Amino acid sequence: MSPPKALPTLEAIGTESKMTLGSTVVIFAIATIFDLMTPLGVAGGIAHVFFVLCGMWWRPAYVTFVFAAIATTLTVLAYLVITEITASLSAVVVNRALSLAAIWVVAFMVYFNLKKTALAIQGNEARLDAVVAGSVDGIIIIDEHGTIESFNPACEELFGFSAEEVLGQHVSMLVPVPYRQQSAEYLRRYQEAHDVSVIDGNREMVGLRKDGSTFPFERSLGETRVGGKTLLTLIIRDITDRKKAEEEREIYIERLARSNQELDQFAYVASHDLKAPLRVIDNASRWLEEDLEGKLDEESLENMALLRNRVERMEKLLDDLLEYSRIGRQTDDRYTTRTSGAELMKDVLLLVEKPERFEIKVSPEFSRIALNAMPVQQIFVNLINNSIKHHDKDTGRIEIGVEDRGEKYLFSVRDDGPGIAPRFHDQIFKMFQTLKPRDRVEGSGMGLAIIHKHVQHFGEAISVDSAEGQGAEFRFTWPKHQRLN
């Protein structure tokens, strides 16, 4: 796999943006004139030092020694050419020697500084090349006209082209024909505005591989100015797996919607069509009992009552199934209307079938909270009725509490009934599950399942803390500001 084309180096930046050849020649000329005009060589030496300093803007570093050699030659020649010297020979020699020393000291300083800088530049470039080459995302660098200047290994894997095949080519070769006009329009807008913000920074596009196949990718865009030249960096991320997951999700959502629709239809049939024959059975049993009044023995009358009881239980089961199927999908004003906790519990107690010898104690903390009436009201009614229905005594006590947990409330309903063995704690929240025979306790086995679904629908949790003979405490969390789907 070919390495990506290197980015323009800092050395190249310096060559383009700093000292030009003309400026160097001017300084060289000034140094020569000063050298010839000053017999002692002091002014010329200073000028030659500046000439040597020009080596900082030339590459490679040894050019500095070339400049120093030129300056040395001129200094020596000036000493030999100048004949009219008023100062002593020793003074001239010393000044010329000091000038030469200054020239070579500066030359060595510039040289070692350039070498140090070059090593630092090489290290930075090596790290940059390593980052670009090792990136899992594709990185393409283009100029403002769309010409590809860098193509990292990840791009080679994505598109199937080698770096040599795309360098110098227009970036539009990497997108299918229908999208090339769009890419050209982006570049045109950028060239007119010279502002990368006119191009969508993050955008989903389609890539074209060497074999002609296509794939979706997400493109991020950045702008860099290097030595007066503008470069655009394109970061390419293959989103094939994400798109596939999105398509699968859409299919799943469509299937789920269809399943919900079928569930609605079933619930409608269950609540209407199936109830009709049940009512006929109930009425027929009553008519039969009236027609045979005085002719039916006690056992037959009990069977008639049992028949009607089973009809009533079936109707209750159908009602609960309908309610279970509509949880989270059908709401009314009560789901959005806020009410105080005290008002909520007042309505709950009116709906509860409380025996005379039962005591229900509500925590005074309810007067300090506010929440939506539904479906919390229904949850409390079901939990309290469940505690009463499954109690093993004629008297009982139920305590209803609330705790503030920041963004949510923790509600509890505790009774002093027979309790629930730990092995049944998970079972009781499933549909059609009862711990006692239905002949002893009337119920559809849907009450706690309905509560559980309500709580789960709002992303909360419900649990039970109980043991045989120690009562039961149901706890569930609820958001202070519930959101309807």
Side-chain angles (χ1 to χ4, degrees):
M1 186 175 296
S2 303
K5 182 182 177 182
L7 293 174
T9 65
L10 295 180
E11 295 174 306
I13 298 173
T15 302
E16 295 176 1
S17 61
K18 299 292 183 179
M19 186 63 64
T20 63
L21 176 61
S23 300
T24 305
V25 171
V26 170
I27 293 177
F28 171 72
I30 293 173
T32 302
I33 293 172
F34 281 179
D35 209 3
L36 294 173
M37 292 178 62
T38 56
L40 288 176
V42 176
I46 295 174
H48 282 308
V49 168
F50 280 106
F51 172 63
V52 173
L53 287 173
C54 291
M56 290 190 299
W57 298 298
W58 290 83
R59 300 295 184 272
Y62 65 78
V63 171
T64 302
F65 292 140
V66 175
F67 287 181
I70 294 173
T72 299
T73 302
L74 290 174
T75 301
V76 173
L77 288 175
Y79 171 75
L80 297 175
V81 170
I82 299 175
T83 57
E84 298 181 1
I85 302 176
T86 58
S88 65
L89 179 61
S90 60
V92 173
V93 172
V94 169
N95 280 282
R96 292 285 175 172
L98 289 174
S99 296
L100 292 176
I103 289 171
W104 284 99
V105 167
V106 171
F108 275 100
M109 291 176 60
V110 171
Y111 174 80
F112 286 116
N113 182 67
L114 288 177
K115 292 297 290 184
K116 181 179 179 181
T117 303
L119 289 175
I121 292 172
Q122 290 174 4
N124 290 336
E125 289 179 349
R127 286 190 290 271
L128 177 60
D129 288 343
V131 170
V132 172
S135 173
V136 295
D137 292 329
I139 299 177
I140 304 173
I141 297 177
I142 63 174
D143 63 17
E144 57 185 326
H145 302 292
T147 303
I148 300 174
E149 298 200 358
S150 179
F151 199 75
N152 77 334
C155 280
E156 293 181 328
E157 292 185 11
L158 285 175
F159 292 94
F161 291 100
S162 66
E164 288 79 4
E165 290 176 298
V166 299
L167 293 180
Q169 303 294 322
H170 197 273
V171 70
S172 61
M173 69 174 291
L174 301 176
V175 296
V177 174
Y179 296 90
R180 291 181 182 177
Q181 183 62 35
Q182 185 182 54
S183 297
E185 176 63 20
Y186 286 148
L187 284 173
R188 185 191 63 79
R189 285 160 50 189
Y190 173 76
Q191 291 166 1
E192 290 179 354
H194 293 286
D195 184 359
V196 75
S197 64
V198 302
I199 308 177
D200 295 336
N202 294 287
R203 185 177 180 83
E204 291 185 4
M205 300 183 67
V206 178
L208 177 65
R209 296 189 178 96
K210 184 178 180 178
D211 61 8
S213 62
T214 60
F215 68 97
F217 68 83
E218 186 177 66
R219 180 213 68 193
S220 300
L221 182 66
E223 180 185 46
T224 305
R225 298 190 182 277
V226 180
K229 183 177 182 179
T230 299
L231 297 176
L232 300 177
T233 302
L234 310 179
I235 299 178
I236 309 298
R237 174 166 295 179
D238 187 353
I239 57 174
T240 301
D241 293 340
R242 190 178 81 185
K243 283 295 184 182
K244 183 178 179 181
E246 290 176 356
E247 291 176 0
E248 292 176 350
R249 184 185 63 186
E250 292 300 323
I251 294 174
Y252 174 77
I253 291 175
E254 182 180 351
R255 290 177 179 174
L256 184 60
R258 187 162 54 248
S259 176
N260 285 338
Q261 185 178 11
E262 293 171 354
L263 182 60
D264 281 339
Q265 293 173 350
F266 167 76
Y268 178 82
V269 171
S271 63
H272 294 81
D273 297 358
L274 293 182
K275 278 188 176 182
L278 290 176
R279 283 190 289 269
V280 171
I281 294 173
D282 182 78
N283 292 334
S285 68
R286 296 180 187 277
W287 296 335
L288 184 60
E289 189 173 338
E290 290 177 1
D291 292 342
L292 298 176
E293 186 177 1
K295 299 180 181 180
L296 295 175
D297 56 19
E298 185 175 345
E299 183 179 356
S300 297
L301 291 174
E302 289 180 358
N303 289 334
M304 287 294 183
L306 181 62
L307 175 64
R308 289 192 292 273
N309 178 270
R310 293 297 184 268
V311 168
E312 182 179 352
R313 181 185 297 172
M314 188 64 182
E315 287 184 338
K316 179 65 168 61
L317 176 60
L318 293 174
D319 289 338
D320 288 345
L321 280 173
L322 179 61
E323 179 182 347
Y324 187 86
S325 69
R326 290 177 173 175
I327 290 175
R329 295 187 293 116
Q330 292 192 2
T331 59
D332 52 40
D333 291 342
R334 297 174 300 167
Y335 285 78
T336 57
T337 302
R338 302 284 289 179
T339 184
S340 68
E343 287 296 321
L344 174 72
M345 295 312 302
K346 180 180 178 181
D347 294 336
V348 167
L349 296 180
L350 290 175
L351 297 172
V352 168
E353 300 175 4
K354 184 180 81 68
E356 292 184 4
R357 302 178 64 183
F358 267 74
E359 178 186 3
I360 300 177
K361 183 179 179 181
V362 179
S363 170
E365 294 296 322
F366 275 92
S367 62
R368 300 183 179 91
I369 70 171
L371 67 167
N372 297 54
M374 290 292 286
V376 179
Q377 175 181 295
Q378 183 180 15
I379 293 174
F380 274 120
V381 170
N382 284 356
L383 285 176
I384 296 172
N385 280 334
N386 195 67
S387 295
I388 294 173
K389 181 170 57 177
H390 291 280
H391 208 286
D392 57 346
K393 300 184 182 65
D394 294 333
T395 60
R397 177 182 175 86
I398 299 174
E399 299 177 358
I400 305 172
V402 58
E403 294 180 23
D404 192 323
R405 292 291 181 89
E407 295 297 321
K408 57 185 66 179
Y409 296 117
L410 175 63
F411 294 113
S412 62
V413 176
R414 180 177 180 82
D415 64 57
D416 57 353
I420 304 170
R423 66 179 183 276
F424 297 122
H425 286 184
D426 292 332
Q427 179 181 345
I428 59 177
F429 293 108
K430 299 177 181 178
M431 296 174 63
F432 311 122
Q433 298 296 318
T434 58
L435 300 183
K436 294 181 180 180
R438 289 189 173 89
D439 290 336
R440 291 176 55 190
V441 177
E442 283 296 331
S444 63
M446 292 287 293
L448 289 177
I450 290 173
I451 294 172
H452 188 252
K453 187 175 180 181
H454 273 305
V455 173
Q456 278 195 327
H457 175 70
F458 287 95
E460 302 300 332
I462 184 170
S463 63
V464 60
D465 182 15
S466 179
E468 289 185 285
Q470 298 181 18
E473 182 178 14
F474 288 88
R475 293 188 293 266
F476 66 95
T477 56
W478 199 258
K480 290 184 177 180
H481 302 280
Q482 67 191 43
R483 297 181 179 180
L484 299 179
N485 291 341

